[in-house]
Amino acid sequence: MTQPPPPIQQGPVQHGRTPLPSAESWLEGVPTPAQRRLDRYAVAAFATSLPGLVPLAAVLGLVGIRRIRKSGARGRGLAIGALVICGCWLIALGVAAALNLYGERRAGIGRTTGISQVEVGQCFDADLEVATLRQVKIADCAVPHTGEGYAKVRATLTGLAADQRTAAATQQCATAFQSFVGKAYEQSELDIYYVVLEDRAVADGNVLCMVGKPGEQLTGSMRNSQR
């Protein structure tokens, strides 16, 4: 009588091999994107780039990128963003410097000119104690300087003697002085200087009035200074 075939075994067949571990165990010890830490240099680079600390931010950003390449940490975008912001700061500073230089050139700052060529609103450097002042150097009113042109006034000087010319020019400049400085010339610590551009009175003024104080430098315009 024929014997029936042996029953089929259920379950994995063991051939002397250790069963494979579950798939989940293969991930043990391997950091996932969510588990990777932010690189502190990248974070610091981005934080310092915002207020414009360009040298520090650039160094931190470059170090952060190198560290991230080796460690695989997160933050590459922050480091690159910091470098981009640093570039924007440099561009902005360059544009500001160029505009400032252009403005200074237009204002004539640093240019030596004749005293009679000083314009109202221009500040200048010169020795106010010399007997005859012929040339001055145009200066930025925001930095220390020796004098400022504040008005052109009209005074009829034709045919007057020297002392009469002085009195007439001084009187007109003193009137403009009070309107400009905000204090009467007689009560002010500042001095008046003037240049006669021509003897006859003309519509736009024939006497250039300037303010200064010998032995002392002024800072800022004297307009409404109450000095």
Side-chain angles (χ1 to χ4, degrees), residues 13 41 57 65 72 82 118 120 134 151 168 174 200 222:
V13 178
Y41 280 82
I65 290 175
V118 174
V120 173
R134 299 186 183 278
R200 65 186 184 90
M222 292 297 99

Side-chain angles (χ1 to χ4, degrees), residues 146-162:
T146 55
E148 177 182 3
Y150 69 88
K152 278 186 178 181
V153 297
R154 289 181 291 176
T156 303
L157 307 176
T158 305
L160 297 181

